[in-house]
Amino acid sequence: MPGTHYDNDHSFIEDLSFDLKVVANRMIRDDSLEMLLLNLRSLHGKAFESFYIEGITQADKERVIHACIIAKITSFDKTLYLISDHQQFLIETLYSSLRALLQRYFDDRPLTEENILRYIKISHPRTYEWIHRTDEESKRKLAIHKRRDNNRRYFRYKADLKYHFIRIGSHEGIEELQGDIYSSGIQHFTEIVNEKLDLLMRNYQKNIHDALANSFPSAYQLFLVVMERVEYLRHVLNGVSVGHLPLEDAKTALRETLDNEIDCSSLHGNIRTESILRDFDEKIQQISRNTLILIENSTPHRLYEGPVLEKLKIDRDIKAYKEKKKSNNSSLLMSFIDLYHYALLLEKIYNNISASNYIIIFPEYWSSDYHDASPGGFSLYSQFLVEVNDILELFLQVNISSDPEKPVYEILHQRSKVIRINARQDLGAYQISCQFINATEHNMGILRKALQSQEIVDAFNSAGFIDEQD
């Protein structure tokens, strides 16, 4: 295989003609088991589109896909986190592809399981060995040997997994100079974050102007005060993030904010509006108060570590406001929702700055938003940025249960190196791809089995639709 070599049974792929082998190489590299079975049903696939082969027949396509299915299945560990139905499905799928490819060698002889095993023991021994292998004999499978310009060594997939990371050092061991306050080196106010905050603030300004500027000018001024408070809080957190901030000025301003409650007299006794605004102000005050504590207790060499901020009344009520928005075009209501999302993002930044180490012991705060994983690396989504070659400590919570109703989680701790970062404007995040450093056999095994198990479950769950006739 040009640029790749699989440690599983790709002998059926090697039996193909050169042109078909090229297609199979791409297909086994890119497609999951579920996608291979969908390809088989439609006799189509992206790999066939990528390489034009003149005169290719349906029988050729079937051979390619069946060969890839066998290569895929023999890449799996024998003992995975699967119920018996999933295991039986996998074996039946393997034998189905074996029958399809071996039919021409058997003439009128029946393709019984016994006859198939007798034949592949000689002609395709790796598949035979896989069928009889125990889990103790399993090795890392579907490993792709490195070639020039090809860093992929394992098939990538997604499973029931959550993660948290902390940055532990700069790239290439460069010494980092600290400023007014300790900085972890994570960039919180990235281009993507700032664009989102700016958009929310523009929407907030427009909505309060439309709702209040002409009809209730004094109330409009009150909402401008709220805007100034959150904008200054953004400025302070940005300074804390990068480690450069006039500390005494920030302390004074935050104390003034905390000592001066908002004056709601301009709302003319509208209890509903006042109640919601005070709920929002409680959240802003909470972030401001804890930011002040952080600043007061941090030094250029040590950052204060506080707990994750507790959820407040507005966090529970916001869902109802969003539902109400669907049938209510109130500009003031929309401004409240914009303000909430603005404050929520500031809260997330505060938590990441102050409580990142605290979060390690509480997986309920970890993220499940990631691109894919393999036994050799992890690709996550984050609104916050690190740099290529930075070293991260990754904490992974992996579901190792075969029962979908009773998850069992194992925590993996893995040091990683950032090898690539891509801005994903469509997702409002950065895709940060990491390579594991000296991964243990235990960590690789747990992750490999979890990913393979999920790949099989996904294929099983599609089977009811795959085998339907058009």
Side-chain angles (χ1 to χ4, degrees):
M1 295 184 182
T4 63
H5 178 77
Y6 292 83
D7 201 22
N8 54 314
D9 190 359
H10 61 276
S11 61
F12 289 95
I13 294 178
E14 292 298 325
D15 287 345
L16 300 172
S17 66
F18 176 79
D19 288 345
L20 296 181
K21 194 185 301 183
V22 171
V23 176
N25 290 345
R26 174 65 63 85
M27 188 173 291
I28 189 63
R29 177 185 176 88
D30 293 344
D31 290 350
S32 66
L33 179 60
E34 177 185 14
M35 186 55 64
L36 290 174
L37 295 177
L38 289 169
N39 291 346
L40 184 61
R41 179 186 177 188
S42 64
L43 291 182
H44 190 64
K46 290 183 178 179
F48 292 118
E49 296 176 356
S50 299
F51 303 98
Y52 173 74
I53 301 177
E54 185 175 356
I56 188 171
T57 66
Q58 289 191 348
D60 291 333
K61 292 183 177 181
E62 287 181 351
R63 287 187 64 202
V64 168
I65 299 170
H66 282 301
C68 289
I69 289 173
I70 293 171
K72 170 67 74 171
I73 291 177
T74 56
S75 76
F76 294 141
D77 284 41
K78 285 303 296 292
T79 303
L80 297 170
Y81 312 132
L82 300 172
I83 60 175
S84 58
D85 284 350
H86 298 152
Q87 295 170 338
Q88 183 179 353
F89 162 76
L90 189 66
I91 296 300
E92 288 179 354
T93 301
L94 174 62
Y95 274 101
S96 177
S97 287
L98 287 171
R99 290 189 180 94
L101 291 178
L102 299 180
Q103 181 66 61
R104 57 180 176 161
Y105 301 114
F106 275 70
D107 299 323
D108 295 330
R109 288 178 295 163
L111 274 170
T112 62
E113 182 177 322
E114 181 181 357
N115 286 339
I116 289 173
L117 290 174
R118 186 180 298 117
Y119 181 86
I120 65 173
K121 183 176 182 180
I122 304 301
S123 301
H124 301 279
R126 285 193 175 181
T127 295
Y128 179 86
E129 292 167 3
W130 183 89
I131 291 173
H132 292 87
R133 181 184 297 140
T134 64
D135 191 48
E136 288 71 23
E137 297 170 319
S138 292
K139 300 178 181 179
R140 302 179 195 173
K141 294 298 167 181
L142 204 57
I144 307 171
H145 293 185
K146 285 188 175 180
R147 297 291 189 270
R148 189 177 66 179
D149 300 324
N150 173 31
N151 290 321
R152 178 179 292 192
R153 288 185 57 81
Y154 302 99
F155 188 73
R156 303 164 184 167
Y157 206 68
K158 293 190 68 173
D160 182 0
L161 184 157
K162 296 177 71 176
Y163 71 92
H164 179 64
F165 75 88
I166 58 174
R167 179 180 177 276
I168 63 170
S170 64
H171 59 87
E172 309 301 341
I174 295 175
E175 184 177 354
E176 297 176 319
L177 299 177
Q178 292 299 330
D180 306 299
I181 191 170
Y182 180 84
S183 171
S184 68
I186 295 176
Q187 303 169 45
H188 297 95
F189 289 86
T190 60
E191 180 180 349
I192 285 176
V193 168
N194 282 323
E195 286 179 354
K196 184 172 183 179
L197 289 171
D198 290 343
L199 177 60
L200 288 168
M201 187 50 64
R202 286 196 300 271
N203 290 341
Y204 173 79
Q205 289 176 297
K206 180 182 183 301
N207 285 321
I208 62 171
H209 182 275
D210 292 347
L212 303 171
N214 295 324
S215 303
F216 305 97
S218 57
Y220 176 62
Q221 292 301 317
L222 172 60
F223 277 79
L224 290 179
V225 170
V226 174
M227 180 189 75
E228 291 172 357
R229 288 189 175 191
V230 294
E231 284 284 71
Y232 184 73
L233 184 55
R234 172 183 177 178
H235 165 74
V236 172
L237 285 171
N238 187 26
V240 171
S241 176
V242 300
H244 296 285
L245 181 72
L247 295 180
E248 294 307 317
D249 291 346
K251 293 176 186 177
T252 299
L254 288 173
R255 290 188 187 113
E256 289 179 356
T257 296
L258 293 168
D259 291 340
N260 296 290
E261 293 186 3
I262 57 173
D263 182 2
C264 294
S265 59
S266 59
L267 297 179
H268 304 288
N270 189 306
I271 300 301
R272 180 60 171 153
T273 303
E274 179 178 345
S275 174
I276 298 174
L277 185 58
R278 289 196 182 279
D279 290 342
F280 275 103
D281 189 57
E282 180 187 21
K283 188 170 190 68
I284 297 167
Q285 295 286 81
Q286 179 198 45
I287 304 171
S288 298
R289 181 170 56 256
N290 283 276
T291 301
L292 177 60
I293 294 172
L294 183 152
I295 293 173
E296 290 176 333
N297 292 276
S298 297
T299 72
H301 306 288
R302 184 188 66 84
L303 190 70
Y304 170 79
E305 295 181 8
V308 175
L309 298 184
E310 295 180 359
K311 293 302 179 183
L312 304 174
K313 183 176 182 296
I314 190 61
D315 296 300
R316 298 186 291 272
D317 292 346
I318 192 65
K319 184 177 180 180
Y321 297 147
K322 291 179 180 179
E323 284 296 318
K324 188 175 182 179
K325 178 185 174 183
K326 296 177 181 178
S327 58
N328 188 324
N329 61 357
S330 166
S331 295
L332 191 58
L333 176 61
M334 289 189 284
S335 73
F336 279 132
I337 295 173
D338 291 330
L339 180 62
Y340 176 79
H341 286 295
Y342 192 104
L344 189 66
L345 188 47
L346 293 185
E347 177 190 52
K348 182 177 181 180
I349 292 169
Y350 168 83
N351 283 335
N352 191 271
I353 292 173
S354 180
S356 190
N357 289 330
Y358 177 87
I359 290 173
I360 290 173
I361 60 175
F362 294 102
E364 60 265 31
Y365 294 114
W366 296 7
S367 174
S368 58
D369 190 18
Y370 73 102
H371 183 262
D372 57 25
S374 80
F378 190 71
S379 186
L380 60 94
Y381 291 125
S382 174
Q383 293 177 310
F384 309 141
L385 260 179
V386 290
E387 295 185 7
V388 171
N389 294 324
D390 277 359
I391 306 301
L392 308 181
E393 292 283 6
L394 271 175
F395 302 87
L396 306 173
Q397 182 193 59
V398 185
N399 185 5
I400 61 172
S401 173
S402 60
D403 187 345
E405 302 298 324
K406 298 178 180 178
V408 176
Y409 294 109
E410 180 156 342
I411 304 296
L412 307 181
H413 175 207
Q414 180 61 53
R415 184 162 295 190
S416 309
K417 178 181 179 180
V418 178
I419 60 172
R420 185 173 56 258
I421 299 174
N422 297 315
R424 294 291 304 272
Q425 298 290 348
D426 56 325
L427 300 176
Y430 297 93
Q431 183 178 337
I432 301 174
S433 299
C434 306
Q435 185 178 66
F436 294 155
I437 299 174
N438 298 325
T440 65
E441 286 292 334
H442 173 78
N443 283 2
M444 294 179 73
I446 293 291
L447 195 52
R448 183 181 65 248
K449 289 185 177 186
L451 295 169
Q452 290 179 357
S453 299
Q454 189 63 55
E455 187 177 353
I456 294 166
V457 171
D458 289 344
F460 175 86
N461 290 338
S462 294
F465 301 96
I466 292 170
D467 63 7
E468 293 175 353
Q469 297 299 315
D470 292 330

